[in-house]
Amino acid sequence: MWPTFLAWLRDNQIGDLTGVIGLAISLFGFAATLVGVYKSKTAAERAEQAARSTRESIRFFETVVDFSGVIAMLEDIKRGHRQEQWLLLLDRYAAIRKVLVTLRAANVDLSADQQSVIQSALANISIIERDVEAGLNDPSSLQSAHFNQIVSQDIDRLLTVLVEIKSAQTGDRL
């Protein structure tokens, strides 16, 4: 059978045995290359997905840290109100406004209601800061209990947003 095949190749001028083997090796190599390219493509897609997932996890972590930090800062501001540390509080108001602005700008995937909670806390801190600034000449006119009531409501709403964000990330229900 083999000699018949070789005779057929020679009679039909297809080539000698080495040409046929070379062709077979080339076809096998080309097929192996295609498989390698496909595997490389899927590996690159998995790596891209892993990088995207890592970025999302880092952003989630930063958001949780920022919300937790804002809540802690607001609690600290409430203590400052009770102790009537008005001059020190002016710096804290400015610091918390920066964090709130960053939270609002960096988390575009928050719902409109969640963005509204951040905006409301930002507006409330600005109003309190303005009132404290104006009342420095007569500190007895400053109403720390009223300020703390506003700050406490903001803490509650920000805490609710934080829980919603954590639930959405972990898939847990509220």
Side-chain angles (χ1 to χ4, degrees):
M1 177 162 139
W2 187 251
T4 307
F5 177 70
L6 290 177
W8 178 81
L9 288 175
R10 189 175 43 252
D11 292 342
N12 292 310
Q13 298 179 348
I14 293 178
D16 59 2
L17 181 59
T18 57
V20 172
I21 292 173
L23 177 65
I25 291 173
S26 296
L27 291 175
F28 177 76
F30 183 69
T33 301
L34 289 178
V35 170
V37 167
Y38 176 76
K39 286 182 180 180
S40 295
K41 178 184 173 200
T42 57
E45 289 169 349
R46 285 193 308 265
E48 181 181 345
Q49 177 60 32
R52 189 177 309 118
S53 177
T54 300
R55 280 191 302 273
E56 289 171 5
S57 294
I58 290 170
R59 188 174 18 172
F60 167 73
F61 177 75
E62 288 174 344
T63 299
V64 169
V65 167
D66 287 345
F67 266 99
S68 299
V70 164
I71 292 167
M73 291 170 78
L74 288 171
E75 291 290 349
D76 190 44
I77 285 173
K78 284 175 50 179
R79 279 188 293 284
H81 288 160
R82 286 186 203 107
Q83 296 168 358
E84 298 180 353
Q85 298 174 334
W86 305 116
L87 289 175
L88 293 173
L89 286 169
L90 292 175
D91 292 334
R92 292 201 174 101
Y93 297 143
I96 198 165
R97 275 196 345 267
K98 289 176 189 173
V99 178
L100 286 167
V101 167
T102 300
L103 265 175
R104 184 185 60 191
N107 292 288
V108 293
D109 53 343
L110 293 177
S111 71
D113 288 341
Q114 292 168 334
Q115 289 279 357
S116 175
V117 167
I118 295 170
Q119 182 60 39
S120 176
L122 185 57
N124 288 338
I125 285 296
S126 295
I127 291 167
I128 292 171
E129 181 181 26
R130 184 197 64 213
D131 291 349
V132 169
E133 192 76 55
L136 284 178
N137 293 334
D138 182 17
S140 64
S141 69
L142 297 171
Q143 305 168 351
S144 60
H146 176 69
F147 296 154
N148 280 350
Q149 178 185 11
I150 293 169
V151 172
S152 291
Q153 290 171 348
D154 286 336
I155 289 171
D156 292 346
R157 288 190 294 249
L158 288 166
L159 192 55
T160 299
V161 172
L162 177 59
V163 169
E164 289 171 353
I165 291 169
K166 285 180 177 179
S167 297
Q169 180 69 17
T170 62
D172 294 337
R173 299 180 73 138
L174 294 176

